[in-house]
Amino acid sequence: MHRESIRRCSRCILPETWPGLRFDEEGVCQQCRHFERRWGPWLRDPEVRARARRTFDRAVELGRRYRRGRYDALVPISGGKDSLEVLRIAREELHLECLAYTYDNGLMTPGALENIRRVTEALGVPHVFDRRPEQKDLLRHFLRKTGLPCGACFIPVVFGVHRMARREGIRLVLWGLARRNESTMPVGKDPWNFRDVVEDGLGLAAIRGIWGSHPVLDYGLDRLRGRLEVVCVPDFFEWDDDEIRRRLGERFGATFDGDHSDCLGARTMEWAWYRRYGFGAPTAVLSQRIRVNRITREEALERLARLEPPELPPSIHAVAEAAGVSVEEILAGADRDQTPYNRSLMHWVAEIHRNWILGR
Ligand SMILES: [Zn+2]
């Protein structure tokens, strides 16, 4: 298909090949509509921001009051700027007793590891690495089956965080997911897709320590019973990426090499997206920049023409080596038909939730 002939949202530049994308009568996609509903008032109205901040402060207070162990909050950190900034805020501005937690997905960059060491040491925050013997098998399996490293990470991280919060009696989890700034993804964080991929040749027994008996049910019940509160901190603060990079650099000597500098697999992911859907990460990143009024749609289209199609990233060799697969196997994985993994009823429930409720 020629790029010029692809229909795009009339506000952002997401193409019709984005999974689940719908256009309304004005040709605007549901992600743009959802963004406007969710963040429009927040961006325009200081009173809305003040109210959101009070909601956040209440969640923090409850986390402090109802902790069942030593810590007020669990802060998952990847070594990237957003999660490290959340840790800084939690410790320096909110004065919380924090436990920092990292799920090692097998693709952490040396820069991310160094950032974690620097920031946790300087803040005096205890830090736990969750390093699982199953992870390399999982990574290899997902690369072979899907061409994407992400499946081996998204769900295990969420369940790993929950396990750690339970173990330490922590009620409050402070995530660094910057949903207002960060681009959306064409693949959801869907536990049923994860399970179906694992069951195709690996088997759930191989990941028993990650998956547990009823991980989704346990997670949902803890949320319902008020034993677990999950907060995306960047939702409640001004979140200027350049300013955050500069501050973490000056304060801790942390370094960040472009977007997603914490994961070796980031470029491979973007490349696999292009191969599968006909668009790469720049399409999603530039669309989000249009929504937050950082650039115009015309500028975005102009930049996109220079950034896509992406070339096969050199880092794919390092990804292959870390996972114990060949680059050819990853390429074959990216071309595999994914529909067998998206057939379960619960997958459709997860997709409807993502597209209609989260709007992402
Ligand atoms: Zn749009």
Side-chain angles (χ1 to χ4, degrees):
M1 202 182 327
H2 275 291
R3 300 183 62 80
E4 295 71 29
S5 65
I6 293 178
R7 184 179 176 203
R8 293 178 189 275
C9 170
S10 61
R11 188 163 295 172
C12 71
I13 57 171
L14 289 191
E16 58 191 338
T17 49
W18 184 285
L21 201 72
R22 304 183 308 280
F23 300 114
D24 65 13
E25 62 283 354
E26 290 171 53
V28 178
C29 76
Q30 86 270 22
Q31 290 196 20
C32 284
R33 293 296 186 202
H34 182 272
F35 186 90
E36 176 53 30
R37 277 196 303 277
R38 175 71 179 83
W39 297 113
W42 195 94
L43 289 166
R44 281 190 299 271
D45 186 350
E47 176 48 36
V48 172
R49 290 200 288 278
R51 210 160 48 225
R53 183 55 202 262
R54 287 195 291 275
T55 307
F56 174 76
D57 290 340
R58 203 156 46 240
V60 169
E61 191 42 45
L62 290 176
R64 216 193 297 249
R65 198 184 306 165
Y66 295 115
R67 71 181 200 181
R68 301 179 302 283
R70 279 194 294 158
Y71 301 105
D72 300 319
L74 182 67
V75 184
I77 53 172
S78 64
K81 67 179 187 329
D82 296 321
S83 57
L84 292 175
E85 174 68 356
V86 167
L87 186 63
R88 190 197 64 77
I89 290 172
R91 189 73 202 113
E92 285 194 328
E93 296 183 16
L94 306 171
H95 309 291
L96 295 172
E97 290 296 332
C98 298
L99 177 64
Y101 166 88
T102 303
Y103 186 93
D104 187 344
N105 65 5
L107 294 174
M108 296 186 69
T109 59
L113 295 169
E114 178 63 13
N115 285 348
I116 287 173
R117 190 188 65 74
R118 283 171 182 267
V119 176
T120 54
E121 278 182 19
L123 292 172
V125 174
H127 175 248
V128 185
F129 263 117
D130 198 347
R131 289 194 162 118
R132 304 201 151 257
E134 311 94 312
Q135 188 59 26
K136 189 170 173 178
D137 296 335
L138 203 57
L139 187 58
R140 185 168 53 238
H141 185 72
F142 269 85
L143 284 167
R144 279 183 182 147
K145 299 291 178 182
T146 71
L148 285 164
C150 312
C153 180
F154 287 169
I155 295 300
V157 169
V158 171
F159 290 152
V161 166
H162 182 216
R163 263 194 322 271
M164 185 56 67
R166 268 192 162 188
R167 202 181 88 186
E168 293 291 333
I170 299 170
R171 184 182 191 271
L172 181 65
V173 174
L174 299 177
W175 281 101
L177 194 61
R179 297 187 284 191
R180 211 170 42 246
N181 295 358
E182 210 166 75
S183 69
T184 56
M185 289 188 159
V187 287
K189 293 173 184 169
D190 169 4
W192 294 279
N193 173 277
F194 174 78
R195 188 196 59 195
D196 289 345
V197 176
V198 168
E199 285 190 324
D200 179 18
L202 194 60
L204 284 181
I207 54 154
R208 194 47 78 194
I210 291 171
W211 184 253
S213 309
H214 307 286
V216 184
L217 187 66
D218 288 346
Y219 186 90
L221 283 177
D222 275 2
R223 294 290 300 266
L224 279 175
R225 288 189 297 214
R227 293 173 78 88
L228 177 70
E229 176 86 52
V230 180
V231 176
C232 288
V233 177
D235 287 0
F236 300 92
F237 288 76
E238 307 284 343
W239 209 259
D240 183 326
D241 295 344
D242 296 333
E243 168 73 18
I244 290 169
R245 274 192 204 98
R246 192 192 53 73
R247 188 185 305 138
L248 294 172
E250 275 177 13
R251 175 86 175 70
F252 306 105
T255 55
F256 306 96
D257 181 19
D259 291 337
H260 283 289
S261 60
D262 48 351
C263 180
L264 200 56
R267 301 285 92 81
T268 298
M269 170 196 85
E270 297 170 5
W271 177 87
W273 285 11
Y274 194 89
R275 183 119 166 169
R276 181 167 301 156
Y277 306 113
F279 60 82
T283 297
V285 171
L286 291 166
S287 288
Q288 198 72 356
R289 292 218 181 119
I290 296 171
R291 292 182 197 125
V292 290
N293 295 320
R294 296 273 293 271
I295 56 171
T296 66
R297 189 172 184 278
E298 288 62 42
E299 283 167 337
L301 284 170
E302 212 172 277
R303 276 194 223 175
L304 186 68
R306 291 198 300 273
L307 294 168
E308 290 188 12
E311 285 176 17
L312 188 70
S315 59
I316 198 169
H317 295 279
V319 171
E321 198 185 323
V325 289
S326 66
V327 170
E328 288 68 34
E329 284 177 289
I330 301 177
L331 305 191
D335 289 340
R336 282 183 89 235
D337 176 19
Q338 298 296 307
T339 46
Y341 307 132
N342 297 328
R343 283 205 184 112
S344 81
L345 177 65
M346 290 310 287
H347 169 76
W348 288 105
V349 172
E351 282 301 286
I352 289 167
H353 178 256
R354 182 161 77 95
N355 280 317
W356 294 79
I357 297 172
L358 294 181
R360 290 179 69 84

